[in-house]
């Protein structure tokens, strides 16, 4: 199988091209996150799985671009960028805000008769469950405190005032997108949904995680892990194994 010819794609990053892989995994970062967060995933699954990571506007090499602070608009843009990569079956994985975005992208793909093999939703409540969260309206300092509380940003970045201030528009934009998102209701995936969450995550209760079952007519399962919102930092290998099993089953 050949890799689609996509010149200078700012949205889709491929760290370890796997031209012989039968399936592709598309990774969606959390709020304030970026594509390189998934380097360990790409390294672990290549060459058996072709791993792609989405790079949102407003960060790193895209920091001069305006952030997209609306999930629907972001999902429209990502879906369009992913279409050239749908020559192989896709598995979607998203963490936190990325899980919501991955769900919306999966809906859009299915409307085009491109049904993902599975959606992995990590560290995020179901689209139909809401909380009155307004982190995006706080001061820069208060947002930084939120990041520290969730331990979602490396200590190196959190300790660098200049880097944080440069990243703040992207962080605030992502929080705006995540916190103002409202599921329109009705549409469900036919793709299976696999949910993973941390048992000590203040952002996701067991009930909110289980509610993902309402969003698919296909298979649903849920796995808890020790840890908080970024349980992935320690439990990543277990989640990667779960993804690998789904990808492997699709080729046998």
């Amino acid at each position: 199988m050949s890799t689609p010819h996509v010149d200078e794609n700012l949205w889709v990053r491929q760290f370890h091209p796997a031209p012989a892989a039968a399936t592709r995994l598309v990774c969606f970062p959390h709020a304030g996150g970026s594509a390189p967060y998934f380097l360990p995933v790409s390294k672990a699954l290549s060459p058996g799985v072709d791993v792609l990571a989405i790079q949102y506007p407003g960060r790193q090499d895209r920091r001069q671009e305006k952030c997209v602070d609306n999930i629907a608009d972001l999902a429209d843009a990502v879906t369009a960028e992913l279409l050239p990569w749908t020559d192989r079956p896709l598995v979607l994985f998203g963490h936190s805000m990325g899980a919501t975005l991955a769900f919306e992208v999966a809906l859009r793909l299915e409307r085009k008769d491109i049904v993902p093999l599975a959606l992995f939703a990590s560290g995020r409540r179901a689209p139909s469950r809401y909380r009155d969260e307004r982190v995006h309206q706080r001061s820069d300092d208060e947002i930084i405190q939120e990041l520290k509380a969730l331990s979602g940003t490396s200590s190196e970045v959190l300790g660098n005032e200049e880097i944080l201030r440069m990243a703040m528009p992207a962080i605030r934009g992502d929080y705006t997108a995540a916190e103002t998102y409202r599921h329109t209701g009705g549409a469900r995936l036919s793709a299976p949904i696999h949910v993973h969450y941390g048992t000590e995550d203040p952002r996701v209760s067991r009930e909110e995680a289980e509610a993902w079952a309402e969003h698919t007519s296909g298979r649903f399962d849920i796995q808890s892990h020790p840890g908080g919102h970024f349980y992935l930092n320690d439990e990543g290998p277990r989640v990667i194994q779960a993804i690998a099993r789904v990808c492997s089953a699709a080729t046998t």
Side-chain angles (χ1 to χ4, degrees), residues 193-227:
I193 296 180
H194 305 274
V195 171
H196 293 256
Y197 75 103
T199 55
E200 299 168 46
D201 187 349
R203 296 295 185 188
V204 185
S205 69
R206 176 79 186 191
E207 185 277 332
E208 289 171 325
E210 289 177 336
W212 277 97
E214 302 169 10
H215 296 280
T216 179
S217 59
R219 176 185 171 187
F220 171 80
D221 60 49
I222 184 169
Q223 177 66 55
S224 63
H225 300 266

Side-chain angles (χ1 to χ4, degrees), residues 48-207:
V49 178
D50 193 30
V51 180
L52 311 177
I54 302 300
Q55 182 80 323
Y56 310 139
R59 68 217 64 215
Q60 295 185 330
D61 59 335
R62 302 191 71 184
R63 65 181 177 273
Q64 301 301 326
E65 300 177 56
K66 184 179 179 180
C67 299
V68 180
D69 60 3
N70 178 286
I71 291 291
D73 291 343
L74 195 54
D76 287 343
V78 172
T79 302
E81 295 293 337
L82 278 180
L83 290 178
W85 301 90
T86 57
D87 58 320
R88 303 182 215 176
L90 299 180
V91 174
L92 308 185
F93 174 88
H95 181 69
S96 194
M97 180 194 80
T100 302
L101 179 58
F103 169 73
E104 287 291 336
V105 169
L107 285 175
R108 285 158 173 76
L109 289 173
E110 290 200 355
R111 289 178 197 138
K112 297 179 181 295
D113 296 322
I114 302 168
V115 179
L117 291 175
L119 166 65
F120 280 81
S122 169
R124 184 65 175 169
R125 59 184 176 270
S128 55
R129 296 300 186 267
Y130 307 117
R131 295 188 185 188
D132 185 17
E133 295 175 333
R134 304 182 185 185
V135 174
H136 69 281
Q137 297 178 347
R138 298 179 187 176
S139 69
D140 289 358
D141 289 340
E142 289 172 324
I143 292 178
I144 290 171
Q145 289 304 312
E146 173 74 9
L147 295 174
K148 290 180 177 178
L150 292 177
S151 301
T153 305
S154 70
S155 57
E156 180 181 349
V157 172
L158 286 173
N160 190 312
E161 184 76 13
E162 183 178 358
I163 292 178
L164 272 176
R165 298 300 172 186
M166 288 175 60
M168 191 52 62
I171 295 169
R172 188 181 297 277
D174 288 354
Y175 268 98
T176 300
E179 294 178 345
T180 60
Y181 169 79
R182 294 294 181 269
H183 178 51
T184 55
R188 292 199 298 171
L189 294 177
S190 58
I193 296 180
H194 305 274
V195 171
H196 293 256
Y197 75 103
T199 55
E200 299 168 46
D201 187 349
R203 296 295 185 188
V204 185
S205 69
R206 176 79 186 191
E207 185 277 332

Side-chain angles (χ1 to χ4, degrees), residues 229-249:
H229 190 61
F230 281 90
Y231 75 91
L232 276 175
N233 293 341
D234 295 318
E235 293 289 297
R238 289 182 61 194
V239 178
I240 290 171
Q241 288 174 3
I243 295 170
R245 285 194 294 269
V246 168
C247 292
S248 177

Side-chain angles (χ1 to χ4, degrees), residues 37-51:
Y37 181 76
F38 294 106
L39 264 168
V41 179
S42 179
K43 183 177 180 180
L45 291 176
S46 180
V49 178
D50 193 30
V51 180

